[in-house]
C-alpha cells in the first residue's frame, strides 16, 4: 500500500494511529534492517537496532520538526542507534586517499600508441539474464560488502541498495558531500574489483 504524504503521516502517527504505524513499519523495516546490519555484527543485533529505532520514533514523533523527510529522520535515528550499539570509531577518510576505480596498469601509458585506453579489453561479465540473480554472485557481493569498512558499507547500502540520492545520504549520516563521494567511490571500486576477480578468475587487488 502506498504511503500518504509526510504531513498526513506525521499527523496520524502523532495521533497514535496504529494503522499508520503499521504502514511505515511494513514499508521501511526491511531497509532499516539492511542498513543496521552494516553497523553491527549479527542479524539479531540488527533486528534489535530496528526495534529500538521504532521505539525512539514513537517516543520522538511529537518533536519531529520536518526539517527533513520523515523517512530520512527515521533512518537517521537508526544510524545513531546502530552507531552506539556498534561502538565503532568514527573516522573520516581524506579526499587525498581517493584511489582509482580500475587498476591504472590496465591502461596505456604516455608512450603507448593510445594512451589512456585499455591495453587489453576486459573479459565481459556475464549478462544480468545469466548471472545477476545467481546465488553465487549474490554471495560474492554479500561477502564483498561484509569486507568493506563500516562507513563505506553504509554509504554503498544507502546509495546502491536503498536508492537514496547523495543529498539524502549526507542528511542521514550527517557527512559532507565530498566525504560521501569518496566513501562511495572506494566502496564501489572494492566491490567492482571483487566481482572482476570472481568473473575473470584473477586476483583481488589489494
Amino acid at each position: 500500500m502506498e504511503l500518504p504524504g509526510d504531513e498526513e503521516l506525521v499527523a496520524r502517527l502523532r495521533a497514535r494511529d496504529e494503522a499508520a504505524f503499521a504502514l511505515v513499519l511494513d514499508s521501511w523495516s526491511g531497509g532499516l534492517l539492511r542498513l543496521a546490519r552494516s553497523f553491527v555484527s549479527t542479524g539479531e543485533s540488527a533486528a534489535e537496532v530496528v526495534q529500538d529505532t521504532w521505539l525512539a520514533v514513537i517516543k520522538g514523533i511529537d518533536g519531529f520538526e520536518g526539517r527533513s523527510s520523515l523517512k530520512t529522520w527515521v533512518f537517521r535515528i537508526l544510524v545513531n542507534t546502530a552507531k552506539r550499539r556498534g561502538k565503532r570509531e568514527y573516522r573520516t577518510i581524506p579526499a587525498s586517499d581517493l584511489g582509482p576505480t580500475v587498476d591504472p596498469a590496465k591502461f596505456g601509458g604516455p608512450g603507448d600508441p593510445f594512451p589512456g585506453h585499455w591495453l587489453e579489453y576486459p573479459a565481459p561479465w556475464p549478462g544480468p539474464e545469466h548471472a545477476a540473480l545467481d546465488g553465487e554472485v549474490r554471495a560474492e557481493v554479500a561477502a564483498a560488502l561484509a569486507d568493506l569498512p563500516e562507513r563505506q558499507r553504509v554509504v554503498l547500502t544507502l546509495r546502491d541498495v536503498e536508492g537514496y540520492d547523495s543529498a539524502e545520504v549526507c542528511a542521514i549520516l550527517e557527512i559532507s558531500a565530498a566525504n560521501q563521494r569518496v566513501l562511495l567511490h572506494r566502496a564501489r571500486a572494492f566491490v567492482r574489483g571483487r566481482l572482476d576477480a570472481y568473473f575473470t578468475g584473477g586476483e583481488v587487488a589489494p
Side-chain angles (χ1 to χ4, degrees), residues 35 71-77 79-80 83 154 158 164 167-175:
L35 183 58
K71 186 176 181 181
T72 294
W73 181 71
V74 171
F75 271 69
R76 191 183 299 150
I77 290 174
V79 167
N80 291 332
K83 279 181 177 177
V154 170
L158 286 169
Y164 279 98
E168 291 171 321
V169 172
C170 291
I172 291 171
L173 300 179
E174 297 179 311
I175 59 177

Side-chain angles (χ1 to χ4, degrees), residues 146-179:
D147 287 342
L148 281 170
E150 177 190 291
R151 291 176 63 76
Q152 292 181 34
R153 182 169 60 250
V154 170
V155 171
L156 188 68
T157 299
L158 286 169
R159 287 294 306 274
D160 293 349
V161 178
E162 301 304 326
Y164 279 98
D165 63 28
S166 174
E168 291 171 321
V169 172
C170 291
I172 291 171
L173 300 179
E174 297 179 311
I175 59 177
S176 68
N179 201 17

Side-chain angles (χ1 to χ4, degrees), residues 102-122:
V102 180
D103 184 358
K106 294 185 177 183
F107 300 98
D112 289 300
F114 302 101
H117 291 243
W118 290 99
L119 291 173
E120 291 182 10
Y121 284 107

Side-chain angles (χ1 to χ4, degrees), residues 37-150:
R37 190 66 179 84
S38 299
F39 289 93
V40 297
S41 57
T42 66
E44 290 78 10
S45 182
E48 290 180 9
V49 168
V50 173
Q51 183 178 16
D52 290 346
T53 297
W54 285 123
L55 291 174
V57 168
I58 294 170
K59 185 177 180 181
I61 188 63
D62 290 334
F64 174 65
E65 297 177 348
R67 290 185 289 184
S68 66
S69 72
L70 178 64
K71 186 176 181 181
T72 294
W73 181 71
V74 171
F75 271 69
R76 191 183 299 150
I77 290 174
L78 176 117
V79 167
N80 291 332
T81 304
K83 279 181 177 177
R84 287 194 296 272
R85 177 175 284 265
K87 297 180 180 177
R88 297 291 184 93
E89 181 181 350
Y90 177 83
R91 180 168 64 92
T92 300
I93 300 172
S96 57
D97 281 356
L98 185 62
T101 301
V102 180
D103 184 358
K106 294 185 177 183
F107 300 98
D112 289 300
F114 302 101
H117 291 243
W118 290 99
L119 291 173
E120 291 182 10
Y121 284 107
W125 292 0
E129 68 277 14
H130 295 115
L133 300 180
D134 182 83
E136 290 186 10
V137 176
R138 279 182 282 147
E140 188 65 23
V141 171
L145 286 172
D147 287 342
L148 281 170
E150 177 190 291

